[in-house]
Amino acid sequence: VVLGTTSIEDFAERHVTGDLVEALTLLEQQRHALLMYTSCAWFFWDLAGIETVQCLRYAARALDLLAELDEKPPTHELLDILARAESNQPGEGTGRDVWERHVVPSRVDAARVVAHVALADLLEGKRPGGRLTTFEVHPVDHVHADRGTLTLCAGTIEVVHRRTRRRSRHAYAALHLGGLEVMGAVRDADPTRDSGALRALAAALEGGDRVTQLLRIIGDDFGPSEFGLEAALPDVADEIVAGAAHALEERFASAYGRLFAENRATFRSLATAGFALPDDLRAAAEVAFDRRLEAELLNHAYDDAVAVVQEGIETGLRIDGPRAREALHRTLVQAVQQAIGGDAGAVDSALALLRLAGTLGISLDLRVVQEALYGALRTRPTPGLSLLGVAVGLAVERLGQP
């Protein structure tokens, strides 16, 4: 079933006589109990090494699955044994410390999945629903509302584990206060409370209640399990953080661009006077400049790109920025691939891009296009590809002429 060679239904028909969810949970628990004994984890030099930590995470999952079966997992006994082991790495402490620091934050249950859904809703604009790691997420009720800088999401969600088929329904609410600051709470769904709690929270937001009042409603009506950014799932937390960081980057870059446009004449005057720009001022201006050049390159407005570079020279700014360089590189790779595919016009485009890089003073890493052209010239050389090969520094004469 785990490998996908048979379905849960076919397996159950042959082997399961009792409750399907209980049987699948027992099997999943046994799978993690076997995984926690993976031998490589115990042959390495340290208790806090990635191999041993991974096997401890398998053990944690085995304990959690016992709890789902209403058994009594031997967590305390395990931690007492781990406490007698010492890491060789300074600061890692005992096995119990390793457990708390590296294992507990990685544990995922249905409530954490719901919390992650709320974070993705607030910070990435992703509506609830679909597959998330080993879970299927089915929204029942969903509220998303904004008031000024505040954003609220709330609702009820049914979560299904794809291997054990265990279903659970949860009510949640979360408030985005700005940046990466999110406060939320999640609890088991309760049909007698859920609709009223959602209405009260939406009314409080629309009615202009203070943030403290909104947070009180979230804690009282959707608690007691509260969460923040730390509830993001381990494997996909970086996506949420990266999305928020990107939005912040865009805001800063937009501000830099506006300030540069408003003070363009001053920059020119300072450059003409031979005044060396302070590092902080130069860095902010070059961020805006690099983005302008990137936009012109991606729009294939090459004459405008040259004009932007000329302006950079006049205002004393560096013209070989990372975003512009990457945009030019990406466009060149695309043109070369099209040329290899037989597009004769793409040869001229690629050559024009190489000339443009020289004009702009942008140094390109040509290894990708060199390797692509080398392979093409060895198998199906054409005059156009030979010309491109010479332009990127290949010894085409050694490959044979078409």
Side-chain angles (χ1 to χ4, degrees), residues 105-108 112 115-117 119-120 123 227-241:
S106 71
R107 298 170 91 166
V108 175
R112 185 170 180 181
H116 179 92
V117 167
L119 292 171
L123 298 177
F227 64 85
L229 186 64
E230 76 286 345
L233 297 183
D235 292 339
V236 287
D238 286 349
E239 297 178 12
I240 289 180
V241 175

Side-chain angles (χ1 to χ4, degrees), residues 3-274:
L3 295 178
T5 59
T6 187
S7 68
I8 287 178
E9 288 74 18
D10 290 343
F11 178 85
E13 186 177 349
R14 294 196 305 271
H15 301 291
V16 178
T17 58
D19 182 85
L20 177 60
V21 171
E22 182 174 313
L24 293 173
T25 304
L26 284 165
L27 287 168
E28 184 73 353
Q29 196 278 340
Q30 178 66 5
R31 189 172 78 88
H32 282 82
L34 292 170
L35 287 169
M36 74 183 186
Y37 289 116
T38 304
S39 59
C40 67
W42 313 109
F43 292 158
F44 286 87
W45 74 282
D46 194 71
L47 182 66
I50 58 173
E51 302 87 359
T52 308
V53 167
Q54 181 58 45
C55 284
L56 290 174
R57 289 171 176 171
Y58 291 139
R61 182 59 180 155
L63 293 171
D64 291 343
L65 288 163
L66 284 175
E68 287 185 10
L69 292 163
D70 293 326
E71 299 288 346
K72 184 181 178 182
T75 304
H76 295 299
E77 294 86 342
L78 173 64
L79 293 180
D80 288 342
I81 294 172
L82 287 176
R84 288 152 39 196
E86 291 280 349
S87 169
N88 297 315
Q89 299 186 46
E92 289 290 357
T94 68
R96 182 189 288 267
D97 297 323
V98 171
W99 178 275
E100 294 295 333
R101 186 179 299 113
H102 300 296
V103 176
V104 171
S106 71
R107 298 170 91 166
V108 175
D109 58 10
R112 185 170 180 181
V113 170
V114 174
H116 179 92
V117 167
L119 292 171
D121 186 351
L122 291 176
L123 298 177
E124 295 186 290
K126 291 184 178 179
R127 290 184 60 86
R131 178 175 294 186
L132 186 58
T133 65
T134 55
F135 294 86
E136 294 285 349
V137 175
H138 305 290
V140 180
D141 295 306
H142 179 241
V143 174
H144 185 108
D146 300 295
R147 190 187 79 196
T149 59
L150 298 177
T151 303
L152 169 76
C153 74
T156 53
I157 285 179
E158 184 176 70
V159 177
V160 184
H161 193 281
R162 291 191 291 116
R163 280 202 287 269
T164 67
R165 296 289 179 91
R166 187 174 297 279
R167 293 175 177 269
S168 58
R169 188 170 288 196
H170 305 266
Y172 71 95
L175 191 66
H176 183 201
L177 303 172
L180 292 174
E181 192 174 2
V182 176
M183 299 294 293
V186 59
R187 59 168 171 77
D188 292 341
D190 181 351
T192 65
R193 298 176 57 194
D194 297 343
S195 296
L198 289 174
R199 286 195 300 270
L201 186 58
L205 183 73
E206 294 172 3
D209 287 16
R210 294 180 178 179
V211 171
T212 53
Q213 175 67 7
L214 294 170
L215 293 176
R216 187 188 66 78
I217 294 174
I218 290 174
D220 290 348
D221 292 351
F222 296 90
S225 297
E226 298 183 350
F227 64 85
L229 186 64
E230 76 286 345
L233 297 183
D235 292 339
V236 287
D238 286 349
E239 297 178 12
I240 289 180
V241 175
H246 177 71
L248 187 61
E249 179 189 14
E250 291 298 320
R251 288 176 59 193
F252 270 81
S254 176
Y256 291 157
R258 184 176 63 256
L259 288 170
F260 179 77
E262 292 172 355
N263 297 278
R264 185 178 284 113
T266 304
F267 274 94
R268 283 201 180 95
S269 298
L270 291 172
T272 301

